[in-house]
Amino acid sequence: MDSAQQHANTINVRVESVHVNYGPVKALEDVSLELKSPGIVQVLGPNGAGKSTLFKVIAGIIKPSTGKVYVNGVEVTGSPEVAGRFIAYMPQSNEPPKWSTLTVWEYVETAASIKTLKWPRIKPSKVKSIVENCLNTVGLPESLWRARLSELSGGNYQRANLARTLIGGAPVILLDEPLASVDPEGRVSLAGTLASLARGKLIVVSSHDPHPLLEHTKLIILLNKKLIAMGDPDSVLRAYTPQTLYSYWVAEHGH
Amino acid sequence: MGTKYVVLVLTIASIALMMFIPKAYWFLSYGSILALIGSALAFGSVSALVAARGLYFLAHVTPHAALLAIPLAFLASLWLGGGHGLIAALVTVGLLLAAGYAIGRGVSGDVAASLLASFTASASAIILYEAQRRLGAARVSSLILGDPLLVGLSEGVIGLALGLTVFLISLSVAREVFYIGLSRELAAVEGLKVEVYDFTLYTLIALTTVTMLGIVGFLVASILILLPGAIASIFSRGSIETLTASVAIALAASAAGLTGGLALNISPSGAIGLTLVVLYAILKVVKVG
């Protein structure tokens, strides 16, 4: 069991007064929140609300203009290497890349090699069991392991991405719109997979639609550049319907 | 498994065919054959990496940089003395790394390549004019058209050694380069030193082009650095299979182009390029159909 896994039951992510600007455009304004494992947290908001930016700030990829991010008291602000000890991040990716010849197996195996072997990484057989575990955990059929990523359906591509994210056993997983471009049947199945993973981890999911994961969600965050609301699903969704949230966004942006 | 057999058979058949050609054509040396094999190894390898990273436009522009660097190095060696090879290599690598640095800092790959193309094409026009006056039109023409038939045995051995070196380096970084091709940002977050792989790739593209330009010429170098990888990407699975298939395709095109060029009495370089274009078109039609 690595050090990251030992923290699995006590992980705590704290975002303090984060502001992010893209030139003159404000992406996040004074966002503060605290998340604790285990369980699923959903971050909801319209396009441009700053969901992806918030994830990148937590993963250390974007350094905020002001504000700090801590994981279990360790500052990870703007430092993906430090954040990577606790956090795995799956960016938004709606469809498989058509140009790439990488297979599902090589995709996950390369991620495992990067995390577990030193260059020139000439013995990828060492990571075979890790790769098999991750692919089995996300429920990707073995018949697809040798398929090119470009040959996968949207749902199975997200499963391959999720398998890659699980490499290293990080206790916090950030999933940026993992159910986008997945068919309804695939959403139900993928939601079940995420729910079983959330028993021992903190899984933060961004979405436009909370329903596929609603019954497994312990906390909902409404974001629209600022933190609009945060709380258990019942209270938040009763107070803020999608219509009120989107009308707030329209009022802010004028279109 | 099927692709691996095809690659193996294609490679052996292509090399055997090329080694047989000097027996049929007295004026053709083994140096030319070795240089063409080296060129196929280098271009085939780099082409697969270019396809994986989607750097087609930048790769296409690289022969422009080499076409500026080589006559510039010739002129510099006339004025300053010494060999021109190192100067040409340094200038080409420097130009590619500058474009690569810009891309790494967030400039769009297309914009960086466009700027590189604009600068090198303009500067080449000035330098080639001067080189033609001082070195003669034949030397400038061979840079543009390429002439594998003029390569001597020692140059051929050097070409083969360079090709093998590029192939082995490409093989050692292929998995990571293909992985970075999916998402550079994500690969960096996961702990991969993406700058090191970028540096290696840009250097390989530049060195392959500048060293092989005299063999295949400016016009066909643009095709060889793009099409073998693009063709292999149509049917291959995985980084290593794509890279070896790309090399086999470059070898087969070189063998077919040389044989066809000699038989039809047309430029072998042009015949190599046309072979690749036809192969790409056929496979695309078959795949889509």
Side-chain angles (χ1 to χ4, degrees):
Chain A
M1 184 179 284
D2 58 30
S3 62
Q5 283 172 316
Q6 285 169 357
H7 289 292
N9 295 323
T10 58
I11 206 82
N12 171 298
V13 177
R14 202 167 77 246
V15 177
E16 286 185 357
S17 305
V18 160
H19 292 253
V20 176
N21 300 320
Y22 295 128
V25 179
K26 288 180 179 174
L28 289 177
E29 291 178 60
D30 196 23
V31 173
S32 295
L33 49 90
E34 186 162 3
L35 309 173
K36 287 181 181 170
S37 68
I40 292 179
V41 174
Q42 289 204 60
V43 181
L44 306 178
N47 286 335
K51 303 186 296 292
S52 299
T53 302
L54 176 64
F55 279 26
K56 287 180 180 178
V57 167
I58 296 174
I61 300 167
I62 292 179
K63 190 173 183 181
S65 318
T66 57
K68 306 274 186 195
V69 181
Y70 298 91
V71 182
N72 275 12
V74 177
E75 188 179 347
V76 302
T77 320
S79 177
E81 298 82 13
V82 181
R85 282 160 41 197
F86 306 95
I87 295 170
Y89 165 61
M90 185 174 111
Q92 194 176 334
S93 49
N94 293 331
E95 55 182 42
K98 297 293 176 209
W99 73 91
S100 179
T101 64
L102 275 186
T103 62
V104 171
W105 181 271
E106 190 177 12
Y107 178 49
V108 181
E109 185 190 61
T110 306
S113 300
I114 291 166
K115 291 206 168 161
T116 56
L117 301 175
K118 285 189 165 40
W119 196 85
R121 306 186 183 96
I122 49 174
K123 288 183 180 171
S125 59
K126 279 185 181 177
V127 298
K128 190 180 172 199
S129 60
I130 300 174
V131 177
E132 282 176 350
N133 261 340
C134 291
L135 289 171
N136 283 324
T137 302
V138 301
L140 198 66
E142 199 170 337
S143 58
L144 293 176
W145 290 3
R146 302 291 165 184
R148 280 168 60 149
L149 291 173
S150 57
E151 295 165 345
L152 299 181
S153 65
N156 283 329
Y157 177 55
Q158 292 298 51
R159 283 179 190 282
N161 280 326
L162 189 57
R164 180 198 53 71
T165 309
L166 294 180
I167 299 284
V172 181
I173 297 179
L174 308 177
L175 305 173
D176 197 353
E177 301 202 15
L179 303 181
S181 78
V182 179
D183 59 51
E185 193 184 339
R187 283 184 186 199
V188 172
S189 167
L190 203 53
T193 303
L194 293 178
S196 61
L197 282 172
R199 285 180 201 129
K201 294 175 187 290
L202 172 62
I203 297 186
V204 189
V205 178
S206 76
S207 172
H208 291 280
D209 175 12
H211 294 99
L213 278 167
L214 199 55
E215 64 176 299
H216 312 292
T217 301
K218 71 167 185 179
L219 189 74
I220 284 188
I221 294 170
L222 294 186
L223 189 70
N224 198 347
K225 299 183 187 294
K226 299 170 185 168
L227 191 66
I228 307 293
M230 183 162 81
D232 65 84
D234 275 353
S235 61
V236 171
L237 293 180
R238 204 174 295 126
Y240 294 89
T241 62
Q243 286 76 15
T244 57
L245 179 64
Y246 280 74
S247 63
Y248 178 91
W249 188 80
V250 170
E252 283 276 294
H253 294 82
H255 58 85
Chain B
M1 191 59 87
T3 307
K4 286 175 187 165
Y5 282 126
V6 171
V7 166
L8 190 65
V9 169
L10 209 57
T11 303
I12 294 170
S14 305
I15 292 174
L17 177 63
M18 281 200 274
M19 296 310 282
F20 177 77
I21 292 172
K23 295 186 190 302
Y25 296 90
W26 61 268
F27 54 87
L28 195 65
S29 77
Y30 280 103
S32 305
I33 302 301
L34 295 180
L36 273 177
I37 293 172
S39 145
L41 277 168
F43 277 118
S45 308
V46 170
S47 178
L49 303 182
V50 164
R53 288 292 305 273
L55 290 172
Y56 290 111
F57 196 17
L58 185 69
H60 182 66
V61 167
T62 310
H64 285 266
L67 191 62
L68 166 65
I70 294 172
L72 186 68
F74 272 128
L75 293 176
S77 64
L78 275 183
W79 295 323
L80 306 171
H84 67 276
L86 183 63
I87 301 171
L90 286 174
V91 171
T92 313
V93 171
L95 286 167
L96 251 282
L97 289 180
Y101 177 76
I103 293 169
R105 300 291 294 177
V107 175
S108 140
D110 286 352
V111 170
S114 301
L115 280 172
L116 183 63
S118 305
F119 168 69
T120 51
S122 311
S124 294
I126 297 167
I127 297 296
L128 283 172
Y129 179 75
E130 189 63 21
Q132 189 170 292
R133 280 201 316 128
R134 290 177 180 271
L135 303 167
R139 206 155 192 182
V140 171
S141 158
S142 76
L143 278 181
I144 294 170
L145 299 175
D147 201 345
L149 307 186
L150 293 180
V151 178
L153 187 59
S154 60
E155 291 170 296
V157 170
I158 292 170
L160 181 62
L162 279 169
L164 273 172
T165 307
V166 170
F167 174 65
L168 291 174
I169 294 172
S170 301
L171 212 52
S172 72
V173 298
R175 291 163 62 86
E176 287 84 356
V177 170
F178 274 64
Y179 192 75
I180 294 169
L182 286 176
S183 169
R184 188 178 185 277
E185 184 183 61
L186 194 60
V189 170
E190 289 181 341
L192 200 61
K193 304 282 184 204
V194 290
E195 298 83 5
V196 174
Y197 289 94
D198 284 351
F199 175 83
T200 308
L201 178 56
Y202 295 134
T203 305
L204 284 175
I205 294 172
L207 284 181
T208 295
T209 310
V210 76
T211 53
M212 301 299 172
L213 202 72
I215 298 167
V216 296
F218 165 77
L219 298 173
V220 176
S222 303
I223 301 170
L224 271 170
I225 207 159
L226 299 180
L227 284 192
I231 294 168
S233 299
I234 295 173
F235 60 86
S236 302
R237 286 176 193 278
S239 58
I240 304 302
E241 187 178 300
T242 307
L243 192 134
T244 49
S246 179
V247 168
I249 288 161
L251 274 168
S254 298
L258 184 61
T259 316
L262 291 170
L264 300 171
N265 199 25
I266 59 173
S267 156
S269 295
I272 292 169
L274 277 179
T275 306
L276 284 168
V277 173
V278 169
L279 190 58
Y280 180 80
I282 290 171
L283 282 174
K284 261 296 187 197
V285 168
V286 168
K287 179 84 174 180
V288 173

